[in-house]
Amino acid sequence: MSDRKDPVTLKIILIGDSGVGKSSFMYRYVNHRFTNMYRATIGTDFLSKMITLDGEPISLQIWDTAGTERFQSLGMPLYRGTHCCMLVFDVASSASFCSLDGWRQEFLVQGEPEDPAGFPFVVLGNKTDLSNREVSRRKALQWCKEIGADYFEGSAKEDLDIEKPFLRAAELGLQQY
Ligand code: GDP
């Protein structure tokens, strides 16, 4: 008999409007690269990454919902079994920020988490490299405070602050495991 255990697998899902950079952010985190060809080349629904949290190996299964269209046609089983949900917007798009509440509600209804009030969300503002910013850090933080979520921002393109939101999502997800 072996003492080896399979590592804990945590499901993290990225949702938000199409074009905010969900795939790019996840691809940057897992593969340390930025590519506009992501959609065409990846051919899978999630990427896996091994990390260590408090000395424990954790397998992160990071799901990109690839826009609403395909997602809705699949129904919502994709949301189920999620340990932490990342709500992603583009800091240069107020509209994408305004959509987040709807995405959050939809996740809570369709994903059917055991404890909706205590379910962990991480909010992520992407594209901080852009100069035409429309959503201030202050505004984003204010909303996150209202919904009890942690806030992070960064840039998949410029490789800025990529790791922290995923680490936090893993920490919060582990508490749901
Ligand atoms: P998704 O639909 O949310 O998965 O978004 P994508 O990852 O497909 O990205 C949408 C577009 O935004 C693509 O043209 C990306 O190259 C671009 N993009 C993604 N991340 C960034 C970023 O951090 N900065 C900038 N300037 N563009 C980005």
Side-chain angles (χ1 to χ4, degrees):
M1 280 240 297
S2 161
D3 285 340
R4 277 185 57 200
K5 286 188 300 179
D6 285 336
V8 167
T9 299
L10 297 179
K11 179 175 175 180
I12 293 177
I13 196 161
L14 275 67
I15 59 177
D17 286 358
S18 185
V20 297
K22 299 180 296 296
S23 321
S24 303
F25 213 91
M26 145 176 153
Y27 196 78
R28 172 66 90 183
Y29 176 59
V30 175
N31 293 323
H32 306 286
R33 286 175 56 204
F34 182 76
T35 170
N36 282 319
M37 295 300 290
Y38 169 81
R39 283 262 192 274
T41 53
I42 181 126
T44 160
D45 288 323
F46 67 86
L47 294 177
S48 296
K49 182 164 171 124
M50 286 300 299
I51 62 164
T52 306
L53 264 187
D54 296 332
E56 189 182 351
I58 306 274
S59 171
L60 287 188
Q61 212 181 65
I62 309 168
W63 290 74
D64 169 26
T65 52
T68 52
E69 327 76 36
R70 187 166 69 93
F71 204 43
Q72 272 159 5
S73 72
L74 282 177
M76 295 299 169
L78 232 53
Y79 284 150
R80 306 238 167 92
T82 298
H83 297 99
C84 183
C85 176
M86 287 172 76
L87 298 166
V88 190
F89 72 100
D90 168 355
V91 297
S93 161
S94 282
S96 72
F97 178 67
C98 292
S99 295
L100 290 189
D101 204 47
W103 281 107
R104 180 172 167 272
Q105 299 298 341
E106 186 181 278
F107 175 84
L108 289 172
V109 171
Q110 305 287 348
E112 298 177 343
E114 268 176 40
D115 172 23
F119 188 85
F121 289 92
V122 165
V123 176
L124 173 62
N126 185 34
K127 308 197 189 183
T128 53
D129 59 283
L130 294 178
S131 53
N132 55 330
R133 184 166 178 145
E134 288 184 358
V135 184
S136 67
R137 187 181 175 86
R138 193 164 151 259
K139 188 173 174 183
L141 277 168
Q142 196 181 337
W143 183 65
C144 287
K145 200 172 165 193
E146 280 169 31
I147 64 161
D150 285 3
Y151 180 60
F152 296 89
E153 54 183 38
S155 163
K157 185 175 181 189
E158 297 298 322
D159 199 6
L160 290 171
D161 300 320
I162 305 296
E163 304 259 333
K164 277 188 204 155
F166 287 102
L167 270 183
R168 185 62 184 141
E171 272 171 13
L172 292 168
L174 193 57
Q175 291 166 17
Q176 299 288 306
Y177 189 78

